[in-house]
Amino acid sequence: MKTLFGAIADDFTGATDLAGLLARSGVAVSLRIGVPPEPPAQTAPLEIIALKCRTAPVDEAVGDSRAALAWLRRAGAERFFWKYCSTFDSTPAGNIGPVAEALMADLGVEQTIYCPAFPENGRAIFMGNLFVGELPLAESPMKDHPLTPMRDSNLLRLLQPQVTRPVGLANRLAVARGPDSLRARLAELAGDGIAHVVVDAVADEDLHVIAEACRDMPLMTGGSAVAMPLPEIWLEQGLLAADAAGPRRRQPAAGTVVLSGSCSAMTNLQVAAYRDRGAPAFRLDPLDLARDGVAGALEWLQRQDAESAPLIYATADPQSVSAAQQELGVAGAGEIVEAALADCAVAARDRGIRRFVVAGGETSGAVTRALGVTRLDVGVEIAPGVPWCHAESAGQEIAIALKSGNFGAESFFTDALETLDR
Ligand code: ADP
C-alpha cells in the first residue's frame, strides 16, 4: 500500500501511543523499532519509526532522525511528523529543536509547528505555557525528572535555546477562530521570518482546527494527539484511499503471559487488581534475581496453564524499589529485572504462548528486543495510547501489547485479554 505519512518518535512507548491514536481512524499503521536496515517494501499508509533518542547526545539524535526521514521518504511518504513527549521532555541542548531543524533542512521547509497538547491526558497549552492537569509544567512532577527536569513552563522560552531560527506563538485566540484564522496567523508569522511556531491547544476541538489548518504542511511536530485527526482529514481529501484500512483484528493462537516491569503508581494498582481476580502470579525480586538468577521464575512459568494468563511481575512500591536500588544501583536493578522479564518472554514463546502483555517502557524495549520483534502492525486499542500489536517472533505470529507506566485503567490486564477476544 502507498505510504503517505511518516512519523519519527523519540522513544518507544511514545511511538506506540501515536500508533494507537492514528489507528483509531481505521487506516493501517505500521511501527518499526529503529530505522530498518533494509529498504522499504510492503509499507503501510501510515508508518512510524520508533527511535530511542529523547536523551541521546544531540548529534546522535539528529543523525538517527535524518536516517529515519530518509527511509520514510524512500517509502513514499509526503507528510512527516516529529513526535516527542507531551511534557516537552528536553534540555536547552535538545533534542526537540535540533531534530526539528535538521528535518526542516532536509525537507526544505521554512516553518513548522510545535503542539505537545494532549487534552484527553491533561496536557494543555495556553499563551505558549504548557500545563499538566491544572499545574504549570514547571510546578508538575516533571520539575524533578531525573534526565529532563522541566523548570520552565513556557514553550517558547524552552524551545528558543534549542534552535537557531526565531520562535513565535499562534495563540488560542487564533486557533479558536478556526483553520482559516490559524492559517493566516501562520502565514503572518512566516512573513516575519518565524520558523518555529508554538500553537496553543486546550481542548480536542483545538487539535482538529490545528490538524485541518496544517494538513498540507510537510512537517508537523508535537505530541501524539495533534496527529490523531490527520488520517480522517486525508481520507476526506482523497490523499488516503478508502481501502487503506489494514487487516487490524487478528487473533493468534491463545495462551497469554503478562510481564510487568513498570513500578509506576498505576501499574502497582493494575498488578494488585489482576492478582485480586485470582490470576496466577509470580513476583520477581531483584535481590533474589541477583543471587539465584531467573530459573525459579522460568520453572514456575512452565507449570502454569497458559490459558489462565499468568503474571510475572517485578512491579513494587517505591520503598522496595529504592531498597533494591541501594543494593544493586539504579541501572543495575533495572537491568537485572529487564533481563529476567526478557528471558521469561522468550521461554513463554518457546513453549507456545503467542500473546504477550507487557507493562513498562524500558521493559517493553527489553522484551521486544529479546523476542526479535522489529516491526509491529497496530491493532485494536485497549486503552488510550495502548493498542494490541501484531508481529512475528522466531517465525511465529504473536500479539503483543506494550504499555508505558501510567497508561490504562486499573483493570488494564483483564481489559487487554478481553479486547483481543471481543
Ligand atoms: P515505566 O514505563 O513505568 O517507566 P519502565 O519499564 O520504563 O516502566 O521502567 C521501570 C524500570 O524499573 C525498569 O528498568 C525495571 O527493570 C525497573 N524495575 C522494575 N521492578 C523493579 C524493582 N522491584 N526494583 C528496582 N527496579 C525495578
Side-chain angles (χ1 to χ4, degrees), residues 20-333:
L21 295 189
L22 291 173
R24 284 184 187 176
S25 66
V27 176
V29 183
S30 158
L31 196 168
R32 322 259 169 177
I33 302 172
V35 184
E38 68 280 2
Q42 290 190 323
T43 56
L46 312 178
E47 284 281 343
I48 302 171
I49 294 180
L51 299 178
K52 197 169 164 41
C53 67
R54 184 167 294 168
T55 55
V58 177
D59 290 351
E60 187 184 317
V62 166
D64 289 354
S65 306
R66 294 184 63 205
L69 177 72
W71 190 93
L72 293 165
R73 291 177 93 175
R74 276 203 297 278
E78 294 161 12
R79 301 283 189 283
F80 301 90
F81 192 81
W82 165 224
K83 154 77 175 76
Y84 39 80
C85 188
S86 64
T87 43
F88 211 70
D89 301 17
S90 55
T91 70
N95 290 334
I96 294 175
V99 169
E101 273 194 339
L103 299 178
M104 289 169 80
D106 283 0
L107 290 167
V109 301
E110 291 298 317
Q111 191 182 61
T112 190
I113 65 152
Y114 296 76
C115 185
F118 195 162
E120 213 178 322
N121 282 348
R123 311 281 193 269
I125 310 166
F126 187 65
M127 298 300 160
N129 291 281
L130 180 59
F131 292 82
V132 176
E134 295 183 344
L135 292 173
L137 175 65
E139 293 169 38
S140 78
M142 280 306 293
K143 71 183 190 303
D144 299 319
H145 190 281
L147 302 174
T148 51
M150 303 307 288
R151 299 280 164 81
D152 194 341
S153 306
N154 186 282
L155 293 174
L156 287 82
R157 279 198 301 266
L158 287 166
L159 184 59
Q160 188 64 76
Q162 300 185 31
V163 291
T164 60
R165 297 175 65 196
V167 175
L169 173 68
N171 74 27
R172 176 88 208 296
L173 303 174
V175 175
R177 285 190 217 103
D180 290 340
S181 145
L182 178 55
R183 253 183 239 123
R185 175 66 183 145
L186 291 170
E188 182 188 358
L189 289 165
D192 293 339
I194 306 291
H196 306 284
V197 185
V198 172
V199 185
D200 276 355
V202 299
D204 280 343
E205 296 84 73
D206 298 334
L207 298 177
H208 282 269
V209 169
I210 296 166
E212 180 66 37
C214 300
R215 64 185 195 189
D216 296 325
M217 262 193 177
L219 176 71
M220 290 169 67
T221 88
S224 54
V226 74
M228 184 169 63
L230 289 170
E232 268 168 47
I233 291 170
W234 293 328
L235 280 168
E236 275 168 31
Q237 258 186 305
L239 278 177
L240 282 172
D243 64 357
R248 298 186 49 224
R249 184 177 289 276
R250 285 191 244 149
Q251 294 177 337
T256 306
V257 66
V258 183
L259 302 167
S260 181
S262 159
C263 294
S264 70
M266 182 46 90
T267 307
N268 270 283
L269 292 173
Q270 291 162 341
V271 165
Y274 194 58
R275 296 195 51 188
D276 284 348
R277 288 179 56 111
F282 186 96
R283 180 169 159 271
L284 291 175
D285 179 81
L287 297 173
D288 291 348
L289 285 171
R291 206 176 36 241
D292 306 325
V294 71
L298 299 179
E299 280 160 27
W300 178 85
L301 181 60
Q302 292 301 343
R303 290 199 302 276
Q304 303 310 305
D305 172 8
E307 295 305 314
S308 63
L311 162 71
I312 299 180
Y313 68 102
T315 305
D317 58 43
Q319 293 92 312
S320 323
V321 172
S322 52
Q325 289 174 337
Q326 261 168 18
E327 199 69 23
L328 304 166
V330 174

